[in-house]
Every structure is written in C-alpha cells, then in structure tokens.
Amino acid sequence: MSVDIVHLANVIVSGLLTGLVYGLMALGLSVIFGVARVVNFAHGEMMTIAMYAAVVLFADLQFDPFVAVLPIAAAFFVFGYLLQAAVIQPFVTRPEHSQFLLLLALAIIMTNALLIVFGPDARSVQLDYLLESIEFGPLLVDRGKLYAALVACAAAAALFVFFHFTLTGTAVRAAADNWLGAKTVGLNVKRIYAIAFGLGAACVAVAGCMMTLLVDLTPALGHGYTLLAFVIVIVGGLGSMNGALLGGMLIGASEALAGLFITPSAKSMFSFALLIVILLFRPQGLLGNRP
Amino acid sequence: MTPLLQLRNVSKSFRGLRAVMGVSFEVEEKTIVALIGPNGAGKTTLFNMVAGVFAPDSGEISFNGKSVNGLRPDQICALGVGRTFQIVKPFAGLSVLDNVIVGALERSRNVGEARRYAETMLEKLDLSAKRDLPAAALTLPDRKGLEVARALATRPRLLLLDEVMAGLRPTECDRMVALFREINERDCMTILLIEHVMRAVMALAQKVIVLHHGEVIADGTPDRIVREPAVLECYLGEETDL
Amino acid sequence: MNARATCWLAALSVVLLFLPAVANNYILSLATLILFFAYTGQAWNILMGFAGQLSLGHSLYLGAGGYAAAALYAHFDIGPWAGLWLAVALSVAFGALIGFLAFRYGVSGVYFALLTIAFAEFTRIGVDHLSWVGGSGGLFLKVAQRDEADILNLRGTPAMFYYVMLVLATGAFALCAWLLRTRPGYYWQAIRENEEAARALGIDTFRWKMLAMVISAALTAVAGVFIAFYYNNLFPEQIFHIGRSIEIILGPVIGGVGTLFGPIFGAAVLTLLAEGATELVTALGWQFPGLKQLIYGLVLLLVVVLLPNGLWSPLARKLKVAP
C-alpha cells in the first residue's frame, strides 16, 4: 500500500494541530492535577459543558467561538475556583479514592444533566470562513484547525507568562512543588489551589470552544476526553507544561496516523496501549520529573 | 556460637549520598544491643536493610548464619525477625485485637489459634481492656504498645525496635523497659534497638554501638562507651543524665 | 450476629425465596437486577473493600466472561455450564495479567484505577473489531423459549433467572462472610490499611493482592455469563463500557465499601430509587433520557460527601442489627 507522501504529511499536520487543542485541554489537567493534586475525573465533562456553551452562544447570539472564548473562559475560571474552594477542598485530608469518587459523581451528573437539557442529538458550529483550506506549499491545512491550534498556543503562552512572570503564578508553582513549604512561608495554599483549579478550568474552556470547530458535539463526549487528557498528561509527564502540549501533539498525530493506516475507529486503542506502557515502565512520562 | 545477627562491611548510598559505610557488628543471641548516634547517622537505614526494606549496596547481612541480603521484608519476618516502625503504622480501621491477630497469623495455623496468642500479647502490653477499640482511637503510648504487641505476635527470635521510647513519659518508658527486660530474660528474646532516650539505653543495653556519619565509631558495654572520647565528642555532650 | 439481625435476615430470606410466587415479571426483573448488582458488588468489594485496590475496569471481566461463554454457545453449541469454565479462565488470565503488571511495577491508587480503565477500554475497542464474535454489530444467541425452564442451557422464565441470580448473590455473600473471618480476610484488610506494616508482619503482599484480583475477576466473569444468557445478546460498546464498571462500584460505595451488607443494600437503594424516579417521571408525562444515571450521580455525590462510609453502617446501628 503506497501512501502519497503529501497526503501523509497533511494527515500528520492535521493531527498535530488537533493535538495542540488536546494539549491545551491536557494542560488544564496538568495544572489541576499537578498543583491542587486533584484527580479531575470530570475534566472531559467540563470541556463538554464549555463546548455546549460555545454552541449555544453561537446559535442564539451569533457569537463566533473566537469571541465567545473570552467570556466562557472567565466564567469557567470562576466556576473552577468555586468548585475547588467549596466542594473539593475538604477532600484534601480524605483518602485518595474518596476524592476520585467525588469527581466521578460530578462527571456523571454533568454528562447526564447535559443529556437531559440538550438531548442526545449531535450539534456543531458552522462557520463558512473556516471551511476553506490554506495552502502552505504542497500542504493543505484546514483553516479551522489552524486557527484553533493558534488560539490553543496563545492560551498556553498566556499561562506560561502567568506562571513565570507574575507573583501569583510563582506562588502557584511554589505550592505545587512543596505544599508544606509554601504554607510555612505564609502562602494561602487553599486560595492557590482554587486559583489553580480555576486556571485549569479556563484552559479547558478555551480548548472546548476551539474543539467545537473540529468535531460534532454530543453529551457523551465528556468521558472520552477525560481519558484522553489523562493519557496525555501521564505520557507527557506530570507537572510539565511542555509535556502536556507535546503529549497532546504526539497523541493527535498518532491517532491521525492510526486512523490512516488502521481503521479510524480503532485509533484510541493506540492511546490506551501507550497509557498502559507508560504507567508501567515510565510513570514520570516523557518530560515529567515526579514519579 | 555464631551470633544471631551479623553485619559485615555493609554500605548503602542514596543517589550519591553515603548513608552507611562499611558497618560491621554482631548481635549475640539472647542479648540486648542498642544502636545510638546523632540524627542522620544511618541507624534507620541499617534497620531497613536488616528488615529487608532495601538491600545493601555491598557487604553481608546474615541472620542465624544465613545471608539475608535482598530478601523481602515478609521473607525476613518468616525467618524470625520482627520490627516496629519509628512512625507507628497501626491498621487504623481494624480493632486492637485484630491488629495483633494479623501478626499472630504468621505462626498460627488458623484464626482461632492466632486470636488466643494475640490475646496473650495484648495482656503483656496491658492493652487487653482496649482490645475491641479501633486502633485509630488509641493514644500514642498505646499505639506504640500495639506496635510492639503486633511484632511480638509473629514470635520473632530477633526484635528490632525503632525509637519506641520517643514521645513516652518517663513512667511509660520505664514500663516498656521492664517489658523488654522480661521478654529478654524470660523468653530469651534478642533485641536490637535504636534509641535516643539514654535512660532506656543505659537500663537495657548489654552492648552499645555508636554510629556517626554512617560509620561505627564505638562498640562496647554502656559503661565503656560512655567514657569514649569520640562518642562524647559527637553525641553525649548534652545528655548527661545517666 | 444479634437476635434482631437474625430476625431481619430470616424475614428477608422468606421474601426472597417466595417472591416469584407473588410478583409479576416486571418486579421479578427488577429484583433480578438488584441481585445482579449485589453479586457484582460483592465480587468487586473483595478487591476494593478487602484488599484496598480501586478497580474501575471490572467491565473487562464481565465482557470477557460473557463473550467467552456466548461465543462457545453460538459457534459450537456448548452450554453455559461448560462455557463457564472458559469464561472464568479467561477473566482470571486478564486479572492475573493486570495484577501482575500493576503490582510488580508498583502502580497503585489512582494510577491503578486508570490502568484498569485503560485495559477495559482497549479491550472494548478491540472486541468491537473482532468479527468472530460479531464485532460492533453484536453477538446474538438463539432466542430463548420463555415458558420452560431449561437450566442446562440457561433458557427459561424470568423466575428461573431470578433464582439463578439469587443463588449467585447468596453464594457471594456467604463467601465474603467466610473470607472476612479467615486468614485471607485479615491479610487483605491489613494490606488495605497499611501495606508496609503488613509486609513487616510476614505477609507476601504481592501474592495476596494477586489472589484478590483473581477471585474478583473470576466471580465477575460468572456475572458476565449470566448477562449473555439473560439478554441473549452482547455488544462490546455496552458490556465493556466504563458505565458498567461504574454501575458495579455504585452498590458497594453507596452501601459501604468493605462491609458485608453494604453492596446488597446499596444495590437495592440505587435500583429502586432509579426505577421509582423513572416511573414517576413517565407518569407525569415527561421524558428524560439519562435520568437514571443522573440519579446515580447525585446519590453517589451525597454519599461521598456526607456519608463516606456508606449508608448501611449508620442504618444498621439505627435498626440495632449491628453495634
């Protein structure tokens, strides 16, 4: 079976671009898991809610997802902050699986609430100007994918700037590294956790808005994205922002390739196999440093 | 007679930091030996190697004449070594009695037999009245007692005690000392203990080994090592209450 | 067990034994469902409540067991009682593999849960593409004769299936009650409470964790065989789906992980609540897809936040059947 090199390149590029959006979603989980130590099993469901928000704003108010992304991200920051501060914080002292079950419960509630409100039919955002393709030499790139990927990169860059060039951001990184030490020097760790969750939620919101440009939306998507986020974060390495983005691109590209060479519906098998291998043999992931 | 526990030139490093260097000593059967030294001297690392938590990088550890390098903790317990932990690890959700039954099952054929032996252990440690309480409800001295009872229930030949006296009041400490003396004299138990509380060391130990920066700097009877200049210099300077 | 508890248990047993005589098929099917979740809950509880390992991939054993027995029946006319052996063997192999890898490489806690999910999902997609068992189109067994009870081939009336499930659930309960009082029960709980301390007391934690995995997988496989013959069809998307794994854990979590009655009580509460709500809503003329799952989620949330040890223990104390 000979594959046209250009076609192959197009598939890979397409996968990489989608992967950047995945990467942003995973970045959100990395921040939440890495800083607040919350195993956010509702991560994908949160993204699905963001996607519905974008679709609704588009359908009712004609908000372009690129515009809607700002209010939605802000709303999600607040939502994430409150969720951590009010609901999840008390679980810090509880056994690990207790917190896991809490997030699982929230995930189930979110998915089915969406199902009840919006029904099971698929929805999408149709923007005509995104249907065109841009030519980069021999490569043909989907405009929607390109813009989505650019926004994802911008969001990741903004997060990077926050973490490395602001006081609050540095405090967050400190708390992630050493919870007790952070407390000892007077940092309000509870507030920092809440900020971290808020930021993670905001990332997910941006990723969600962008994802509406790439896929059709149903309430059942949430769970698959949660697992994908965990695969990426664990493969890329906990606590590594670059790892999340890199992992996202890797998964995006490999899924695209798997879709090309094997049957498309089997592409997730590769991700799960990779997760198993990494969990067993290199739990710190490709770029992470914490086992 | 071969010593019950023998360490020959044992060394262990952690990522370049040398925790234990060329340590050799012996523990004769039916004796009580104390391992003392400043914090960070490598005492718990040695304990962990004897108990099988990790293997030495080099050197030999033999118990009862057999090498135990690299054996797992449960295998070493099966050979006859019992240990307590510096930070107590009770089975919090189980009752006090059940905690000790778990230990007793090591040498009992069934739960009934284990329960009977566990109850005698609890009596020894004065915990019989609390046997049905959840272990989480115990005070620290009682938790320490439970830890000892549980280890004793495995019917060890060698008992490793890691800072059992820490946090105990003088009367509780004396009670523990009396208990250890009793099981040593009556039941012929060999004991190796890590201790900072000198009161207990002087009362119990027939031999004292002093560790400093991972090396043995003195090895002898309590009276002798108390006068060793090297020991006085590094360790006994403040605690002179003998 | 005190006198009160014995009375309650006796009353319950009478009700369970004679239910088919008084109940219609709908109630019977509901009761069968409750018993099914009580059974799978007990099987999962051995791994989690006793040995302390959180598995969210038990749908793997349901599916492996179900597909093994169903395939043997559909392709080779081998009855379920014979096919059971392959079903159990296959699930045990999966459980042993996952357990060996996880415990050997020190994967625990949440990572262990993720590992089990990954294996289940991987298998789900794999079987979806396995044409020998029907792939995504599903595997179908010859439709049952519902008027006669053919126990040998597990074809028959709702009452027959009810009794089969009753025997399984009772058996699982008795097994767990017995295990708790013997060496495995003590050792598993010790491992759950503090694995390091358990090792220091002579417990080979790897071996005992493997045992819990394997027993749990074997028991769950039997439930899979039951499903295959009860519904007469299997779809990878359904039986391997994480939704099944979640349903399995809901009973014990809500009732009380690690207790004996927890899984049964939790299963009953959940199923009745969900059915009741659905009936109510339909009676009011509405249609809410996903209502059942939403209720599961809400109950789980309430239990995890307010009564983390489950509903059964406080209730048992109130009813004075337990101290």
Side-chain angles (χ1 to χ4, degrees):
Chain A
M1 176 192 69
S2 71
V3 177
D4 181 10
I5 259 286
V6 172
H7 181 50
L8 188 66
N10 277 331
V11 167
I12 293 180
V13 167
S14 172
L16 288 173
L17 292 176
T18 315
L20 275 169
V21 181
Y22 288 157
L24 180 64
M25 168 185 73
L27 192 55
L29 183 62
S30 194
V31 171
I32 292 173
F33 198 179
V35 177
R37 298 273 189 282
V38 174
V39 185
N40 188 11
F41 209 65
H43 201 70
E45 282 77 5
M46 280 166 48
M47 178 145 125
T48 314
I49 294 180
M51 290 169 80
Y52 270 100
V55 163
V56 165
L57 285 182
F58 178 74
D60 294 348
L61 297 173
Q62 276 78 53
F63 272 19
D64 194 310
F66 295 107
V67 170
V69 85
L70 290 166
I72 294 179
F76 265 68
F77 177 83
V78 173
F79 169 65
Y81 188 100
L82 291 175
L83 187 66
Q84 167 65 27
V87 180
I88 302 178
Q89 184 62 32
F91 279 72
V92 158
T93 45
R94 306 252 225 122
E96 197 180 45
H97 60 263
S98 220
Q99 187 207 78
F100 191 74
L101 291 172
L102 170 70
L103 270 320
L104 178 64
L106 289 174
I108 297 174
I109 293 173
M110 286 179 190
T111 302
N112 289 288
L114 282 177
L115 186 58
I116 291 180
V117 171
F118 291 105
D121 299 324
R123 298 183 186 223
S124 62
V125 166
Q126 298 288 21
L127 283 171
D128 294 322
Y129 69 84
L130 292 176
L131 291 176
E132 309 154 13
S133 303
I134 308 181
E135 282 183 34
F136 285 102
L139 298 175
L140 219 56
V141 173
D142 219 9
R143 203 172 242 229
K145 285 206 178 129
L146 182 64
Y147 287 3
L150 286 173
V151 170
C153 286
L159 201 63
F160 181 82
V161 164
F162 171 78
F163 277 136
H164 290 269
F165 295 105
T166 68
L167 207 56
T168 321
T170 316
V172 172
R173 279 191 299 138
D177 265 343
N178 192 332
W179 169 89
L180 198 57
K183 252 190 156 177
T184 314
V185 298
L187 291 179
N188 184 344
V189 174
K190 277 192 209 162
R191 209 184 70 126
I192 289 181
Y193 284 179
I195 290 176
F197 205 105
L199 286 174
C203 283
V204 149
V206 174
C209 289
M210 294 302 102
M211 200 60 96
T212 58
L213 306 172
L214 308 177
V215 300
D216 287 338
L217 177 60
T218 67
L221 283 182
H223 167 65
Y225 285 138
T226 300
L227 290 181
L228 191 63
F230 274 102
V231 171
I232 294 174
V233 163
I234 290 173
V235 167
L238 262 185
S240 166
M241 283 180 60
N242 296 333
L245 288 173
L246 205 68
M249 290 200 289
L250 179 68
I251 297 288
S254 57
E255 284 205 349
L257 283 174
L260 181 64
F261 289 116
I262 326 171
T263 148
S265 48
K267 58 188 168 90
S268 317
M269 272 180 100
F270 177 78
S271 309
F272 289 118
L274 190 58
L275 176 65
I276 291 171
V277 167
I278 295 273
L279 274 176
L280 293 173
F281 303 118
R282 204 188 153 85
Q284 73 269 34
L286 295 173
L287 295 182
N289 36 32
R290 262 189 296 255
Chain B
M1 238 226 340
T2 37
L4 188 59
L5 177 70
Q6 211 170 13
L7 273 78
R8 271 195 292 264
N9 220 351
V10 170
S11 300
K12 180 77 181 171
S13 302
F14 292 109
R15 283 195 261 214
L17 179 74
R18 288 199 286 206
V20 169
M21 282 196 310
V23 165
S24 302
F25 65 82
E26 289 163 359
V27 177
E28 300 283 344
E29 201 164 353
K30 299 188 212 166
T31 61
I32 300 183
V33 175
L35 193 55
I36 70 174
N39 278 320
K43 309 186 296 293
T44 301
T45 308
L46 268 177
F47 250 35
N48 280 332
M49 284 192 282
V50 173
V53 176
F54 37 74
D57 290 338
S58 60
E60 267 266 317
I61 302 179
S62 29
F63 177 73
N64 205 16
K66 272 182 42 176
S67 164
V68 295
N69 284 31
L71 286 185
R72 291 191 319 260
D74 55 277
Q75 292 170 312
I76 292 192
C77 176
L79 288 176
V81 178
R83 76 162 297 178
T84 64
F85 291 90
Q86 192 175 352
I87 303 179
V88 288
K89 297 181 193 295
F91 299 131
L94 299 183
S95 71
V96 167
L97 178 60
D98 283 341
N99 263 266
V100 185
I101 289 179
V102 174
L105 276 169
E106 175 63 15
R107 308 255 182 240
S108 307
R109 277 166 309 181
N110 54 50
V111 173
E113 209 181 283
R115 171 173 289 120
R116 283 189 291 278
Y117 195 72
E119 281 174 351
T120 47
M121 287 303 108
L122 282 183
E123 249 182 72
K124 255 206 222 289
L125 270 295
D126 260 331
L127 286 170
S128 291
K130 306 190 177 148
R131 56 218 279 274
D132 292 323
L133 288 180
L138 292 180
T139 58
L140 181 66
D142 282 339
R143 286 187 193 206
K144 296 233 158 184
L146 178 61
E147 190 102 336
V148 173
R150 207 171 58 177
L152 282 178
T154 65
R155 285 176 253 224
R157 286 180 62 190
L158 169 67
L159 186 60
L160 301 174
L161 300 169
D162 197 344
E163 295 193 40
V164 176
M165 309 296 173
L168 296 183
R169 290 198 299 271
T171 39
E172 289 154 352
C173 177
D174 289 341
R175 247 208 314 249
M176 277 290 195
V177 167
L179 170 71
F180 294 143
R181 266 236 203 86
E182 186 196 312
I183 59 176
N184 172 249
E185 287 163 14
R186 246 195 24 200
D187 307 320
C188 304
M189 178 80 67
T190 313
I191 298 179
L192 175 62
L193 53 115
I194 294 179
E195 243 344 302
H196 282 294
V197 176
M198 281 304 129
R199 181 196 190 93
V201 175
M202 291 305 162
L204 278 174
Q206 291 139 12
K207 179 159 92 164
V208 178
I209 298 163
V210 187
L211 220 59
H212 188 48
H213 288 327
E215 294 177 303
V216 175
I217 62 168
D219 181 338
T221 63
D223 304 314
R224 248 200 50 216
I225 64 111
V226 155
R227 283 172 246 285
E228 282 267 342
V231 176
L232 288 168
E233 198 185 300
C234 92
Y235 188 56
L236 285 176
E238 296 154 287
E239 177 72 81
T240 53
D241 182 29
L242 298 172
Chain C
M1 247 193 346
N2 61 32
R4 253 174 173 245
T6 323
C7 283
W8 276 99
L9 196 58
L12 185 65
S13 310
V14 168
V15 168
L16 286 174
L17 268 173
F18 293 103
L19 193 66
V22 294
N24 61 30
N25 280 349
Y26 170 67
I27 296 193
L28 262 189
S29 70
L30 208 59
T32 308
L33 197 63
I34 292 179
L35 289 172
F36 176 83
F37 284 126
Y39 174 79
T40 51
Q42 290 282 16
W44 178 82
N45 203 19
I46 291 177
L47 188 56
M48 178 65 206
F50 297 177
Q53 312 294 315
L54 176 65
S55 164
L56 268 178
H58 260 51
S59 61
L60 175 62
Y61 312 124
L62 269 187
Y67 265 99
L72 285 178
Y73 189 73
H75 290 304
F76 305 118
D77 262 328
I78 297 179
W81 299 101
L84 191 68
W85 298 107
L86 180 66
V88 166
L90 192 58
S91 284
V92 162
F94 274 122
L97 175 69
I98 298 175
F100 177 79
L101 291 174
F103 305 145
R104 168 80 181 69
Y105 290 101
V107 179
S108 65
V110 159
Y111 293 108
F112 179 77
L114 286 172
L115 189 71
T116 59
I117 295 176
F119 270 101
E121 289 288 287
F122 183 86
T123 311
R124 174 179 63 85
I125 304 174
V127 175
D128 223 20
H129 292 86
L130 201 59
S131 53
W132 189 66
V133 289
S136 56
L139 182 61
F140 292 85
L141 303 180
K142 294 164 247 184
V143 177
Q145 228 81 311
R146 288 279 164 174
D147 14 296
E148 269 179 26
D150 178 7
I151 270 256
L152 225 51
N153 285 313
L154 272 188
R155 324 259 84 211
T157 59
M160 183 200 82
F161 283 106
Y162 168 80
Y163 279 121
V164 169
M165 208 61 238
L166 180 61
V167 167
L168 283 176
T170 314
F173 176 76
L175 179 68
C176 287
W178 176 74
L179 281 174
L180 258 187
R181 290 196 324 254
T182 57
R183 184 183 298 257
Y186 275 97
Y187 277 4
W188 282 331
Q189 289 180 93
I191 293 173
R192 178 192 75 204
E193 293 292 316
N194 195 313
E195 197 171 332
E196 208 188 338
R199 269 188 231 120
L201 294 174
I203 300 173
D204 183 349
T205 58
F206 176 81
R207 211 184 92 193
W208 288 96
K209 286 195 293 190
M210 282 292 278
L211 188 66
M213 272 298 270
V214 154
I215 293 180
S216 191
L219 291 173
T220 310
V222 176
V225 175
F226 180 87
I227 287 191
F229 283 82
Y230 186 54
Y231 291 114
N232 288 314
N233 58 55
L234 285 175
F235 296 94
E237 265 305 308
Q238 288 175 7
I239 200 161
F240 286 109
H241 195 265
I242 198 177
R244 305 293 81 66
S245 298
I246 293 177
E247 280 159 15
I248 287 178
I249 79 164
L250 283 179
V253 169
I254 287 172
V257 168
T259 66
L260 277 177
F261 271 105
I264 304 170
F265 185 69
V269 164
L270 218 52
T271 313
L272 292 173
L273 207 58
E275 276 302 305
T278 321
E279 286 300 299
L280 184 67
V281 156
T282 321
L284 289 173
W286 297 329
Q287 269 278 43
F288 283 150
L291 177 67
K292 219 182 267 189
Q293 305 278 333
L294 183 67
I295 290 178
Y296 290 167
L298 286 168
V299 176
L300 182 63
L301 182 67
L302 286 170
V303 166
V304 167
V305 172
L306 298 173
L307 283 167
N309 287 322
L311 295 173
W312 175 247
S313 292
L315 182 68
R317 262 180 304 224
K318 271 243 165 64
L319 286 177
K320 301 210 175 71
V321 294

